[in-house]
Amino acid sequence: MVAGTENMEAVPADKGVEILKPRTDKREYRRIVLKNSLEVLLISDPETDKCAASMNVSVGSFSDPEGLDGLAHFLEHMLFYASEKYPEEDSYSKYVTEHGGSRNAYTSRENTNYHFDINTDSFDEALDRFAQFFIKPLMSADATMREINAVDSEYQKNLLSDSRRLDQLKKHLSREDHPYHKFSTGNMETLHVWPEAKGIDTRNELFKFYDKHYSASIMHLVVYGKENLDKTQGLVEETFQEIRNTNKSIPIYPGQPCTPDHLQVLVKAVPIKQGHKLTVSWPVTPSIHHYEEAPCSYLGHLIGHEGEGSLFHALKTLGWATGLNAGESDLTMEYSFFDVSVDLTDAGHEHMQDILGLLFRHIKHLQQSGVSQWIFDELSAICEAEFHYQAKRDPFSYAMAISRNMKIYPTKHWLVGSSLPSRFNPDFVQKVLNELSPSNVRIFWRSKKFEGQTDETEPWYNTAYSFENITEFTIQEWVQSAPDVKLHLPVPNVFIPTDFSLKDVKDKDIFPVLLRKTSFSRMWYKPDTKFFIPKAYVKIDFNCPLSKTSPDAVVLSKIFVWLLVDCLNEYAYYARAAGLYYGLSLSGNGFELYLVGFNHKLRILLEAIMQKIAKFEVKPDRFSVIKETITKTYQNIKFKQPYEQAMSYCSMVLQDRTWPWTEKLDALTHLEADDLVNFVPMLLSRTFVECYISGNVEKNEAESMVKHIEDVLFNDPRPISRPIFPSQSMTNRVVELGKRIKCFYHQEGSNPSDENSALVHYIQVHQDEFAMNIKLQLFRLIAKQATFHQLRSVEQLGYITSLNQSNHSGVYGVQFIIQSSVKGPGHIDSRVESLLKDLESKLYNLSDEEFKSNVTALIDMKLEKHKNLNEESSFYWREVKNGTFKFNRKDEEVAALRELKKEELIDFFDTYIKVDAPKKKSMSICVYGSQHLKEMASDKDEVASPFIEIEDIVGFRKSQPLYGSLKGWSQLKL
C-alpha cells in the first residue's frame, strides 16, 4: 500500500497550516513567527522530564570568507562562551550541566546548529542564556586564542580518520571556485598563522561574519517544553524577540561542484587502516526537491539490497565483498551525490574491475527494466509503519532533527521530512537512475596496497593518492568481462508487518518478573504498560563456559558468531528492511542474540535463527573470508585514538578473564576451518540461556519462545546442549587496586604516525551499593563542568576532555580522560592532581543552596522516565545480565539522595577521591604519541612514591586481589 497522508493525524498550526504527526504521538505542536521573522516550532509534552531547544542557523562552512577556512566552525565554538547579559565565561555550559542537561553544536556546509536539554524546572533560565548568544554574544579576546587551539586540537584528532580523509579528498578533487572544495574544519594555520601574516585580525573577522550572517530571518528554532503551548509561546516571544533581523536571505550556492574534468576518474588512495574499500559516486539531481517521490531511497533500496539475487549477494558468494551500502550523500538543495560503497576482501581488491562491471551491469538492468510500482508500494508501506510506530526520542535529538527540517520542508512535513515516500513517479526515479552512468562517475579506491604507487598528496590530511581518467569504453569492457552471475529484483518481503494490534495485558507489572526457570534457562518478562506500540524487545544470552577459556576460544567464538550472521544475512535482511532488527555478538559469558522491532513476525525470525544455530555448518570459503575480516579488525585496533587505547588498557588491567588483542590476533593466525568444526559442538555442549522478553508480547507467547529455544538445544534425543554444572556458572570479576599506592602504566601509542597522547586517570571507589553510588554520581555532577572548563577551556590541554563515571562489572569509579597534541601524559596527570585540589576547595566552599540544587538536579535526572521500549528494556537487561536484579535502582538511589547531607559528600571525597585520601585507589594510564615519546622515561623517573609501575598487564592482574562477583552473590539469593 502506498503511504498517503490520509491516515496521518493533523496538528493545527497558525493560519490553518497542518503539521502531520504519527498516530501514536500525543504531543501538541504549533508554528509561530516572531515579529523579527524568527520561525519557531513549539512542542508541548506534559509527560516530558527534560526540556530542549535547538536553533538552526542557515549558514555554514560554505560561507567561510576566502583565506579563513573554518571561520563558521570557529564561530560555533566561540558563541557559547559568554554574552553581555551573562558575562561569566562558560556560565551557560556550567548552568546546563549542573541542572541535569547537556549541550552541543555542529557546523555543516550550509547550517550551524546549536542545541541543549535540561531538567524541566531550570528550562526558563537556560533558554534565556541560550537566546543571548544570538542577541549579544561577547566572544572575548581572552577566549579567542584558546578556542583556536581547541579547533586545532579537533583537527589534529581527526587527521588519521579514514572517513574524514576521504571526504576531504572528494572535496579536493572538485571545482576550486565552488564552496564544496573548501576545508571546513579549520586549524591553527587557517585561523591564526596565515591571517596574522596578512595583517588580518581573526576576532574582528568573527564579528564581521556574525553581523553579516546571523539574522533571525535565516534562523529556525524548536522549543520542546512541558508547559502548554500558550505559556511556552509567551516565554519564547519574550526571550527571542530581540534577535536582530537584517532580512538576510538563506545563502544559495548554485552550480555543480564537479566539472567534466572531475568525472570519469579513478582515484587510488592510501588509507590509515587495513582493508580495501571501493566508493563509486555520481552527481545526481538532489532528491530533496522530490522527497515524496523518494528516487534515491528507491534506488538505494534496490542497489543496496542484500537478499538472494542482489549485487551484494553475488559479490559475497564470489568471496569479493563483506559489505555494501548505497544511497544519497553530501545532500544540499543544489547538488547531491549517489554513492555505492563496497568493503572488499583481498580477493575482491584483485577483482576491482569485475566488481565495477557487475555494478554497472546491475544498474543497466534496472534502467532497462523500469521502475516497479510494487517495490515502491512495499517501501512506502515499510516507511509508513516505521513512521507511525516510531519510538519516542529524547527531546535533545528530536528538537535538533526538526530544526534542520524546518529549513527544508513545508510546515506540513516538518516532522515527516523525507521519511515517507508517498507519490509514485516512475519518470523522475528513472531520470535519477539514468544519471548513474559511466560518463558521470567518480571512483575512489582505497587500499594499503597503493603505498608507494601514488604521486599526489591532499594538502589538509596528507592523504596519498593517484588520479587517472577512465573512459566509458573501459567501463563497458569491464561490464562485458565480468562473471556471468544471476542478478534479479528482490522478492516480496514476507516480514512486512500487517498486524499492529496491541495485546490485552492483564498483569500490569512495574518491574520484570521471573516468569520461568529451569535447569536450561531463566526467563524474565515485562509487558508493555507504558508505550503502547506493536513492538517487542528480546534478549537471549547463551552462557557458554568454554567461550572465554583462552585467546583461541574467544577467537573461535567470535568466528562462530560472525559466520552465523553471515549465513543468515540473505534471509534476515528482509526482516531488517521491514523494521525487525536482530544481532548476534559475543557477550561476557558466551554470545548474545537480540531481536527488536515489530512483534508480528518476530517469532518467525527467532525460529530461523535457532535453526541456523542448531544446524550450524562451517563452509571453508566463508570461514576464510570471516577470518580475513576479523584479522583486519584486530590489526586496526592499533589505529584507535590514543584515548581509546588508554581506556582499553584500563579495562584490561581491571577486568579478569580478558585477553590482549595481540594474543587473539596471534591465535587467529593459526586457526583453520576444521578447528571451528571441532570447537562449536564443544562450545554449545554446556549452555545456560538467560532471556529477557518485553513489549507487545503476552506471557504465553514469551514462555513459548523460550520453550522453543529449549526444545532446539536441549530436548532432542541427542541434544546439542546440556545444562551447565553449578561450578561452571560464569562470573566477571574485577581487580581491587591497593589503597594509597598509585598504579601507573606507561605505553607508547600503537600508531607511530599519531602525534596525540592520552591520559586516563582512574580512581576506583566501591562496589555497587546505593548509598555509595549516589555520592559518586553527585561528585561527578559537581566536578564535570569544572573539569572541562579548567583542563580544556582554560589550560587548552586537548579537544577530548571529560570526567566520566566508570562501571567495570559493578565496580564503580571515575575516569579523567584527556587527549592532547600539546602536552604529554605526565604533565596532564599532574594537572589532574592539581585539579583535584581545586575540586577539594570547591566542595569545601559549596553553599547549602548549591548543594541542594545539585542534589535536586541529580534526583530529577534519576526520575527521568524511560522514553521508549528499547530504553526501558536496556536498563532492565543490564540488571539481569550483571546479576544484580536491582530493578528498583532509581527509586532506591533517589531515596538515598533525599537523605544525603553535604558533610557526607565531603567525607566521601576526603576518604576516596582527594589527592591524599586514606582509602584512595588510583591508576594512571599514559599513552605517548610520537610527539611526546621522549618524555616517557623522565615521567617514569619523576613518579612520587609509593607507586606500582605496571610492566605486564596480565601478570599484574594475576597478582592482585579481586572483588567478589555481584553475579555470584545474586545467584545465591535466588
Side-chain angles (χ1 to χ4, degrees):
M1 178 178 73
V2 176
T5 57
E6 66 277 2
N7 290 324
M8 295 186 204
E9 188 175 340
V11 183
D14 67 322
K15 300 180 182 177
V17 178
E18 294 180 342
I19 300 174
L20 302 174
K21 70 175 187 176
R23 299 186 192 105
T24 52
D25 189 353
K26 303 306 178 190
R27 293 166 291 203
E28 293 184 324
Y29 300 83
R30 179 186 295 168
R31 171 188 178 269
I32 62 171
V33 180
L34 304 189
K35 65 181 183 181
N36 58 358
S37 298
L38 176 64
E39 193 170 23
V40 186
L41 177 65
L42 310 174
I43 305 174
S44 173
D45 180 3
E47 297 180 353
T48 192
D49 301 299
K50 280 277 195 333
C51 294
S54 175
M55 179 75 86
N56 193 80
V57 187
S58 297
V59 63
S61 61
F62 274 10
S63 297
D64 285 343
E66 192 68 34
L68 279 166
D69 284 12
L71 192 68
H73 179 218
F74 179 44
L75 174 58
E76 172 229 303
H77 276 242
M78 285 292 293
L79 202 64
F80 278 178
Y81 259 88
S83 62
E84 285 192 13
K85 185 173 180 179
Y86 300 99
E88 183 186 348
E89 193 174 281
D90 259 357
S91 61
Y92 159 74
S93 299
K94 181 175 183 288
Y95 185 84
V96 169
T97 301
E98 291 181 352
H99 293 85
S102 54
R103 81 286 177 276
N104 212 336
Y106 69 83
T107 305
S108 64
R109 285 160 188 163
E110 296 183 302
N111 299 284
T112 308
N113 195 290
Y114 304 87
H115 38 276
F116 77 94
D117 70 354
I118 198 163
N119 292 341
T120 56
D121 58 357
S122 306
F123 186 49
D124 291 11
E125 181 175 335
L127 200 64
D128 187 47
R129 289 173 177 273
F130 182 74
Q132 292 305 310
F133 298 127
F134 307 101
I135 297 171
K136 288 188 176 178
L138 281 184
M139 299 190 283
S140 70
D142 286 347
T144 300
M145 197 61 220
R146 281 188 271 126
E147 210 53 38
I148 288 176
N149 284 328
V151 170
D152 189 66
S153 179
E154 184 177 355
Y155 163 69
Q156 296 289 339
K157 172 183 75 74
N158 295 329
L159 272 175
L160 301 179
S161 162
D162 279 327
S163 59
R164 294 266 185 171
R165 293 161 71 87
L166 176 64
D167 186 50
Q168 192 62 45
L169 181 58
K170 287 179 176 180
K171 294 196 286 185
H172 179 64
L173 299 174
S174 67
R175 280 173 46 193
E176 292 188 18
D177 61 345
H178 193 284
Y180 177 74
H181 185 81
K182 292 181 177 180
F183 167 54
S184 57
T185 303
N187 63 11
M188 183 62 70
E189 281 71 28
T190 65
L191 294 172
H192 177 64
V193 176
W194 297 346
E196 186 178 57
K198 297 175 184 175
I200 296 171
D201 185 316
T202 302
R203 182 165 176 262
N204 287 343
E205 294 300 318
L206 204 62
F207 279 107
K208 287 181 189 176
F209 187 91
Y210 179 86
D211 291 341
K212 179 179 178 180
H213 293 291
Y214 274 52
S215 167
S217 57
I218 65 166
M219 295 180 182
H220 296 89
L221 174 67
V222 174
V223 176
Y224 190 115
K226 191 178 181 73
E227 305 293 346
N228 63 51
L229 291 173
D230 290 339
K231 188 167 183 179
T232 304
Q233 180 170 337
L235 175 65
V236 168
E237 288 172 342
E238 178 185 351
T239 307
F240 289 90
Q241 63 185 353
E242 297 304 317
I243 296 178
R244 188 174 53 104
N245 179 20
T246 64
N247 294 313
K248 180 179 174 61
S249 299
I250 292 175
I252 297 173
Y253 303 94
Q256 292 294 316
C258 295
T259 68
D261 289 341
H262 306 112
L263 303 175
Q264 291 185 264
V265 297
L266 172 62
V267 180
K268 298 176 182 177
V270 180
I272 297 298
K273 293 184 176 181
Q274 295 291 337
H276 323 284
K277 190 149 191 164
L278 192 62
T279 301
V280 187
S281 184
W282 297 266
V284 295
T285 304
S287 65
I288 199 67
H289 301 294
H290 302 271
Y291 61 92
E292 291 178 289
E293 289 93 339
C296 288
S297 295
Y298 177 93
L299 297 177
H301 174 65
L302 291 184
I303 298 173
H305 207 280
E306 297 180 21
E308 192 174 337
S310 67
L311 174 63
F312 175 68
H313 179 254
L315 297 178
K316 179 183 151 182
T317 302
L318 290 163
W320 293 350
T322 59
L324 186 150
N325 293 293
E328 197 170 14
S329 70
D330 290 334
L331 174 65
T332 74
M333 301 298 285
E334 299 297 320
Y335 73 85
S336 75
F337 294 91
F338 188 92
D339 288 354
V340 177
S341 294
V342 187
D343 295 312
L344 306 176
T345 62
D346 291 345
H349 177 75
E350 301 302 323
H351 286 272
M352 181 276 289
Q353 296 177 2
D354 289 327
I355 292 169
L356 287 172
L358 287 172
L359 171 61
F360 279 99
R361 184 189 296 169
H362 185 46
I363 291 170
K364 188 71 173 175
H365 173 69
L366 294 176
Q367 290 168 340
Q368 292 173 344
S369 60
V371 181
S372 299
Q373 171 97 45
W374 77 266
I375 293 177
F376 183 87
D377 289 351
E378 192 175 84
L379 181 64
S380 184
I382 292 169
C383 292
E384 183 177 13
E386 285 281 22
F387 176 72
H388 282 303
Y389 301 105
Q390 62 185 276
K392 190 175 183 180
R393 295 169 65 180
D394 62 274
F396 184 79
S397 61
Y398 191 58
M400 180 173 60
I402 296 173
S403 67
R404 289 195 306 256
N405 284 354
M406 289 171 70
K407 171 186 176 179
I408 302 169
Y409 303 100
T411 305
K412 183 177 182 178
H413 291 153
W414 278 353
L415 310 186
V416 176
S418 299
S419 66
L420 270 180
S422 57
R423 188 178 297 163
F424 183 59
N425 184 342
D427 292 340
F428 189 73
V429 177
Q430 190 71 44
K431 176 182 184 298
V432 176
L433 179 54
N434 291 339
E435 291 173 343
L436 309 185
S437 71
S439 63
N440 200 33
V441 73
R442 285 153 58 93
I443 301 168
F444 295 86
W445 186 13
R446 290 178 285 166
S447 174
K448 284 278 199 182
K449 291 194 174 183
F450 296 140
E451 285 182 327
Q453 301 176 27
T454 59
D455 53 6
E456 302 272 359
T457 303
E458 188 280 317
W460 296 111
Y461 289 82
N462 296 316
T463 303
Y465 74 95
S466 65
F467 178 99
E468 61 187 88
N469 294 105
I470 51 170
T471 65
E472 289 185 67
F473 177 75
T474 299
I475 292 175
Q476 192 55 44
E477 284 187 323
W478 295 347
V479 171
Q480 291 171 354
S481 62
D484 183 16
V485 297
K486 301 294 183 184
L487 300 178
H488 57 76
L489 294 176
V491 298
N493 191 339
V494 297
F495 282 102
I496 296 176
T498 55
D499 182 359
F500 303 106
S501 62
L502 298 179
K503 310 292 184 180
D504 183 17
V505 178
K506 301 283 193 299
D507 300 312
K508 307 293 183 183
D509 296 306
I510 299 174
F511 300 121
V513 295
L514 182 58
L515 193 60
R516 190 173 191 275
K517 184 181 179 184
T518 69
S519 60
F520 310 123
S521 71
R522 181 167 51 187
M523 193 265 280
W524 298 87
Y525 171 71
K526 171 71 174 68
D528 178 9
T529 57
K530 292 182 184 176
F531 311 110
F532 307 112
I533 57 172
K535 294 185 177 182
Y537 180 105
V538 177
K539 280 274 192 170
I540 303 164
D541 195 9
F542 298 87
N543 289 270
C544 305
L546 190 61
S547 64
K548 285 291 190 77
T549 53
S550 67
D552 300 78
V554 172
V555 173
L556 285 165
S557 298
K558 191 180 189 78
I559 298 174
F560 165 62
V561 167
W562 283 38
L563 277 173
L564 272 176
V565 173
D566 184 70
C567 69
L568 278 162
N569 191 60
E570 287 76 36
Y571 175 77
Y573 180 82
Y574 283 94
R576 202 163 78 237
L580 176 54
Y581 304 95
Y582 86 102
L584 282 153
S585 60
L586 289 187
S587 66
N589 298 317
F591 65 100
E592 187 175 283
L593 165 67
Y594 76 84
L595 298 99
V596 177
F598 290 106
N599 59 274
H600 183 202
K601 310 287 181 73
L602 186 147
R603 176 64 183 265
I604 299 171
L605 180 59
L606 173 62
E607 290 183 5
I609 294 170
M610 289 308 303
Q611 181 69 12
K612 287 291 185 185
I613 293 173
K615 304 293 184 184
F616 181 74
E617 182 183 344
V618 180
K619 297 178 179 177
D621 60 331
R622 299 312 302 162
F623 176 90
S624 297
V625 168
I626 297 301
K627 177 180 176 180
E628 177 191 314
T629 306
I630 294 176
T631 298
K632 289 172 185 171
T633 301
Y634 285 139
Q635 289 172 338
N636 285 330
I637 289 175
K638 66 184 177 185
F639 298 113
K640 281 187 174 182
Q641 295 265 1
Y643 82 93
E644 294 174 314
Q645 295 175 38
M647 291 178 71
S648 178
Y649 289 134
C650 186
S651 294
M652 181 69 64
V653 170
L654 296 172
Q655 204 79 49
D656 193 30
R657 297 192 312 115
T658 52
W659 309 96
W661 69 266
T662 49
E663 291 185 7
K664 289 185 278 190
L665 178 59
D666 184 57
L668 178 58
T669 306
H670 305 288
L671 294 173
E672 300 298 338
D674 285 345
D675 297 310
L676 189 63
V677 171
N678 296 326
F679 175 78
V680 171
M682 291 191 293
L683 175 72
L684 298 175
S685 65
R686 294 287 176 182
T687 306
F688 182 79
V689 184
E690 186 91 67
C691 306
Y692 177 90
I693 299 176
S694 65
N696 194 38
V697 181
E698 293 175 340
K699 275 185 178 180
N700 63 327
E701 292 178 287
E703 288 186 277
S704 176
M705 285 186 210
V706 178
K707 181 68 167 61
H708 175 75
I709 294 169
E710 285 190 359
D711 287 343
V712 170
L713 293 179
F714 301 99
N715 292 336
D716 192 81
R718 298 181 63 187
I720 297 165
S721 303
R722 289 183 171 82
I724 62 174
F725 294 113
S727 60
Q728 289 181 296
S729 181
M730 300 175 71
T731 57
N732 297 312
R733 300 182 65 186
V734 176
V735 166
E736 182 173 8
L737 299 177
K739 296 185 180 88
R740 303 197 71 175
I741 302 177
K742 186 171 180 180
C743 298
F744 285 89
Y745 181 67
H746 297 87
Q747 181 63 45
E748 180 180 352
S750 53
N751 180 8
S753 301
D754 198 333
E755 295 185 350
N756 292 284
S757 295
L759 170 81
V760 170
H761 184 108
Y762 169 72
I763 303 173
Q764 187 179 73
V765 182
H766 71 287
Q767 197 163 33
D768 187 25
E769 191 265 313
F770 294 143
M772 290 289 285
N773 294 351
I774 54 108
K775 293 172 190 173
L776 183 66
Q777 292 159 11
L778 187 59
F779 163 72
R780 188 222 173 208
L781 178 64
I782 293 170
K784 181 181 177 184
Q785 181 57 30
T787 298
F788 184 86
H789 176 71
Q790 181 61 36
L791 300 183
R792 184 187 184 278
S793 300
V794 176
E795 298 188 30
Q796 288 291 298
L797 292 179
Y799 178 76
I800 295 174
T801 300
S802 65
L803 171 59
N804 297 344
Q805 181 178 307
S806 64
N807 177 1
H808 294 92
S809 299
V811 175
Y812 291 87
V814 288
Q815 291 176 321
F816 295 84
I817 302 167
I818 303 100
Q819 180 168 297
S820 180
S821 59
V822 295
K823 296 292 182 181
H827 174 83
I828 300 170
D829 198 42
S830 70
R831 300 313 303 150
V832 173
E833 297 280 356
S834 177
L835 172 71
L836 285 169
K837 293 176 183 175
D838 294 341
L839 293 174
E840 183 178 341
S841 299
K842 181 181 176 68
L843 275 179
Y844 287 178
N845 295 320
L846 198 68
S847 69
D848 292 341
E849 185 179 340
E850 287 174 320
F851 173 77
K852 186 177 179 181
S853 174
N854 279 286
V855 168
T856 301
L858 186 55
I859 288 173
D860 288 345
M861 292 163 70
K862 288 193 167 298
L863 291 178
E864 187 176 342
K865 296 181 290 289
H866 297 124
K867 288 171 286 299
N868 53 61
L869 179 64
N870 283 11
E871 198 175 283
E872 178 191 78
S873 300
S874 296
F875 175 83
Y876 290 135
W877 173 245
R878 278 194 300 273
E879 295 293 333
V880 171
K881 190 174 178 181
N882 293 340
T884 46
F885 308 111
K886 294 177 181 177
F887 300 129
N888 64 339
R889 177 180 296 277
K890 290 186 176 184
D891 295 335
E892 292 287 350
E893 290 183 347
V894 165
L897 269 169
R898 295 192 197 281
E899 299 297 321
L900 184 67
K901 297 178 174 57
K902 183 175 72 172
E903 294 73 23
E904 293 176 288
L905 177 65
I906 292 172
D907 181 63
F908 167 82
F909 177 84
D910 287 346
T911 304
Y912 297 99
I913 304 291
K914 77 174 185 178
V915 174
D916 56 351
K919 294 186 179 180
K920 185 166 185 177
K921 296 175 283 189
S922 66
M923 173 172 62
S924 288
I925 306 289
C926 304
V927 173
Y928 290 79
S930 56
Q931 194 165 312
H932 309 113
L933 188 56
K934 60 182 180 296
E935 300 171 16
M936 194 195 311
S938 58
D939 284 350
K940 285 184 177 183
D941 291 340
E942 292 169 11
V943 171
S945 295
F947 71 94
I948 295 174
E949 178 67 39
I950 301 172
E951 301 287 352
D952 169 22
I953 286 180
V954 176
F956 170 79
R957 192 174 67 204
K958 287 181 177 179
S959 70
Q960 299 301 301
L962 302 175
Y963 280 97
S965 169
L966 290 173
K967 195 161 189 175
W969 301 343
S970 297
Q971 287 176 343
L972 288 172
K973 292 175 185 175
L974 283 174

